[in-house]
Amino acid sequence: MTVTLQNISSVADAPAQPIESRGGMLVQVESGSNWIGVLGVLVFLASMYIAPTTAQAQTVYHVTETGNASNDGSSFADGDAISLQGALSAAGGSDEIWIAAGTYTPSRRLDAGDARTATFEITGDQDGLQIYGGFDGTETTRSERDPSANETILSGNINGDESDDSGNAYHVLVFNGGGSETRGIGNDIANNITGATVLDGVTVAGGNANGPSTTDGAGGGLYCDGTGTDNVCSPTLTELIFTGNAAIPNYTSGGGAIYNDAQDSGTSSP
């Protein structure tokens, strides 16, 4: 299944003074003297000066199967490429993550005591982060990638046993834009996940949400947490394939591919 979700001023009572053009600048000449009111012009110009703003720099993190979390991700080369988990830990809302073809399993746990809570988590604190799969590792621009030819798989098969899903991660991906006193997954996040956050061109597979809690029984592929008043989980999901994900089928959980949690007056709508 493919989901495509896309300058004039005046001074009162001042006597009129002659205006001349000198050096391309209009200046006021004091009557009966050679004094030119350049100082006043400079003060006026200074008051109009607006300091240039500096846009937050964008970093592109290049991810490969053999990438190292300690690398800077500046290219797909072996000495530069970063791991996906490392890139997610380092990236902010103005950044992009480019993932080369291959299979990636999560290692960061939401609960240190439960290996199956390992997941690829994106939070509202990273809103605006854009993640793209489908690279062959030679591209220098995003437009060069070809997701159909370079399958990028995010897998919940954390135990490495393709014949037994019982030990797979509860959720391959977690988008965490919420949390309330009674509901939610991971840490409570004040910042929302909006459509500026993008996931594009990957296959999500092997999540098995059959855990003991309500949250761990839902969203085997992706759990979108927008629980709590004014919280939002609404990322942009494009060109995705969800396959082989499972969840407990009941009225409080479910959603083998995606579970949208908007309880307690939240919003969850990828």
Side-chain angles (χ1 to χ4, degrees):
M1 176 179 64
T2 301
V3 182
T4 303
L5 299 167
Q6 307 305 358
N7 299 323
I8 299 173
S9 61
S10 63
V11 179
D13 302 324
Q17 302 295 345
I19 302 295
E20 297 181 6
S21 175
R22 301 193 179 185
M25 177 172 64
L26 291 177
V27 297
Q28 190 175 61
V29 181
E30 189 72 27
S31 297
S33 74
N34 293 324
W35 181 85
I36 300 174
V38 175
L39 179 60
V41 175
L42 293 177
V43 170
F44 172 75
L45 292 175
S47 69
M48 295 297 292
Y49 174 75
I50 301 175
T53 57
T54 302
Q56 186 177 0
Q58 180 197 68
T59 299
V60 176
Y61 292 92
H62 298 76
V63 172
T64 65
E65 285 183 298
T66 58
N68 193 307
S70 62
N71 289 344
D72 62 9
S74 57
S75 79
F76 285 119
D78 287 343
D80 297 329
I82 194 171
S83 66
L84 179 53
Q85 203 77 73
L88 288 172
S89 296
S94 65
D95 300 329
E96 293 187 9
I97 296 176
W98 295 4
I99 314 174
T103 300
Y104 300 84
T105 56
S107 59
R108 181 180 173 274
R109 302 177 182 182
L110 297 180
D111 179 351
D114 188 348
R116 296 186 64 198
T117 64
T119 190
F120 295 121
E121 183 185 28
I122 298 93
T123 77
D125 294 336
Q126 298 168 293
D127 187 42
L129 176 63
Q130 299 181 27
I131 304 169
Y132 298 95
F135 295 85
D136 67 13
T138 63
E139 298 88 349
T140 57
T141 63
R142 192 185 344 131
S143 61
E144 296 177 274
R145 72 188 178 118
D146 184 355
S148 64
N150 304 300
E151 189 175 20
T152 303
I153 302 172
L154 308 187
S155 172
N157 186 28
I158 56 176
N159 62 5
D161 187 351
E162 292 289 353
S163 65
D164 183 5
D165 293 340
S166 63
N168 285 20
Y170 297 131
H171 321 281
V172 179
L173 287 155
V174 168
F175 281 83
N176 187 350
S180 67
E181 292 182 1
T182 60
R183 187 77 179 185
I185 192 169
N187 294 326
D188 290 350
I189 302 296
N191 293 320
N192 294 330
I193 292 180
T194 70
T197 299
V198 174
L199 179 66
D200 179 290
V202 302
T203 295
V204 182
N208 186 17
N210 65 347
S213 67
T214 302
T215 52
D216 288 339
L222 188 159
Y223 192 108
C224 194
D225 180 8
T227 57
T229 303
D230 296 327
N231 289 331
V232 176
C233 183
S234 297
T236 298
L237 307 179
T238 53
E239 297 300 319
L240 304 182
I241 296 173
F242 289 84
T243 182
N245 300 287
I248 298 174
N250 62 48
Y251 72 97
T252 59
S253 297
I258 301 175
Y259 184 77
N260 297 324
D261 197 345
Q263 296 193 46
D264 297 337
S265 303
T267 299
S268 182
S269 180

